[in-house]
Structure formats: C-alpha cells, structure tokens
Amino acid sequence: MMATTHALAGVALAVGVSLFVPEAGGLPVAAAALGGLFPDFDLTGDHRKTLHFPVYYTAATLIAAIVAAAVTTPVTLAVALFLAAAALHSVMDAAGGGLEPRPWLARSDRAVYDHARRRWIAPRRWIRYDGAPEDLLLCAALAVPGLVVLDGQAELAILAALAVSVVYTAARKPLVALADHLVPQIPQDVLDRLPARVVSFVADYR
C-alpha cells in the first residue's frame, strides 16, 4: 500500500485514542503518522524485512500500551501509538500485493517478512498493489477521522497526503512503463557503484 495510506492509518488510530485523552495534544498524532511511515524507511535496504516486524511491533505495542495506561502522558501515548502504527503498517502489507516491480501481475509470493517464524508471509492481495484504485479509496477513508477532528496544519497535511495519493495512483503504471524504457540505458559502470538492493531492483526491469 502507499506510504500515505499507512501514515493516515496511524493518524486515524491516534485520533480514536485522542477522543479519550484530548489533553494529550498533537504529539501522539504526529508520532502515529511517523510510525505509519517508519517501516518503509527500509526501501533502500531489504524492503519489507529490515524494518517490518508484524509480530515484534505488536508485542512491543502491548507493552507500551500497558505503560501508557498506567502512566498516561503525551510521551507514553506517543511511544505506544508509534509502535501501534508501525505494527499496523507491517500487518497491512500482508493484505496487499507482493514484492515485485509490477505487483498487479501477482507473481510474487512475498508480502512481508515474519522474523518470529523466519519466513515470508504471502500476499493476500485484498489491496492488489500500492497505488491501486482500492488503495486510494482506503487512503481517503482513513483520512476522514483526521479531517473531522483535526484542524490547522494537521488538516492541511492530511489534504496534502491525499493529493499526493491521487497523483501517485494516476502515475503508478506509467512510472513503471517509463522505468522499462530508462533502466536498460543505465551503464554497467554506474550499476557497479550502486547498493546491492538497488541493483537487484534494477535487474527486475532488465
């Protein structure tokens, strides 16, 4: 799914919690949005493995939630919501498409890595691929709680995320077609200087 979908899932989660602790302010919401994005910081590493922990994030969330319930402060809530959003991201990826340049072809059997069982979880493809129309629909639905409850810069950030999502959805397949044309033109001496993960990704287009 799109990074914006994951970020807005975190915001929706935080908005739900804020209804019970409105005095916590904006820090937990910001932390949840960052937690929703965080696992995808492994894009330059082993994507959906290096920073994706569907089991361990969930376990850590339970511990952090107990701490936040016992000692409720903006910081403890922020930590719990960051972990919860990261866990939700990792689980949501299993509901999407696989790891491949053209996930709409449904050829990959790898969605997200389960470190606890040391195996890849197969994609469910309920959301066929990142940037699919149903991904955009989910992203828009997840934006609603934040748009209803939040205002000011937070509301503008959500609207910006939606705008980015619309553009990405429209450009998703054309970008792959452009890569099909450009990637084969990359000189071998340039490839030799790139990280192994990037070289592997490029090889999928060749």
Side-chain angles (χ1 to χ4, degrees):
M1 297 175 204
M2 294 183 288
T4 48
T5 303
H6 290 302
L8 290 174
V11 171
L13 181 64
V15 165
V17 172
S18 72
L19 297 178
F20 299 95
V21 280
E23 67 278 8
L27 179 61
V29 176
L34 180 59
L37 290 173
F38 180 73
D40 274 348
F41 289 173
D42 69 6
L43 278 168
T44 57
D46 198 347
H47 186 39
R48 297 196 188 172
K49 182 177 181 181
T50 304
L51 294 178
H52 285 63
F53 300 95
V55 176
Y56 296 149
Y57 281 143
T58 301
T61 297
L62 293 175
I63 296 170
I66 292 171
V67 172
V71 184
T72 305
T73 70
V75 172
T76 58
L77 285 171
V79 171
L81 284 166
F82 176 93
L83 291 169
L88 183 59
H89 177 136
S90 301
V91 172
M92 286 171 67
D93 273 346
L99 273 175
E100 52 189 317
R102 303 167 189 81
W104 47 86
L105 298 180
R107 293 172 176 169
S108 174
D109 61 354
R110 294 183 172 189
V112 64
Y113 192 74
D114 179 355
H115 291 81
R117 297 177 179 84
R118 298 184 180 181
R119 64 177 180 83
W120 284 91
I121 299 172
R124 303 296 191 274
R125 297 191 173 90
W126 298 335
I127 302 293
R128 292 170 297 157
Y129 57 91
D130 59 300
E134 62 270 25
D135 189 8
L136 180 60
L137 182 61
L138 176 61
C139 184
L142 290 168
V144 171
L147 291 174
V148 170
V149 174
L150 304 175
D151 55 19
Q153 291 185 343
E155 184 178 31
L156 289 176
I158 293 172
L159 291 173
L162 283 175
V164 169
S165 302
V166 170
V167 172
Y168 181 77
T169 298
R172 179 65 170 97
K173 289 187 177 181
L175 283 173
V176 172
L178 180 62
D180 287 341
H181 175 71
L182 294 179
V183 167
Q185 312 303 321
I186 299 175
Q188 187 60 45
D189 61 327
V190 173
L191 286 177
D192 292 340
R193 300 190 191 99
L194 296 176
R197 166 63 187 166
V198 176
V199 173
S200 175
F201 182 78
V202 168
D204 288 336
Y205 282 94
R206 293 193 159 197

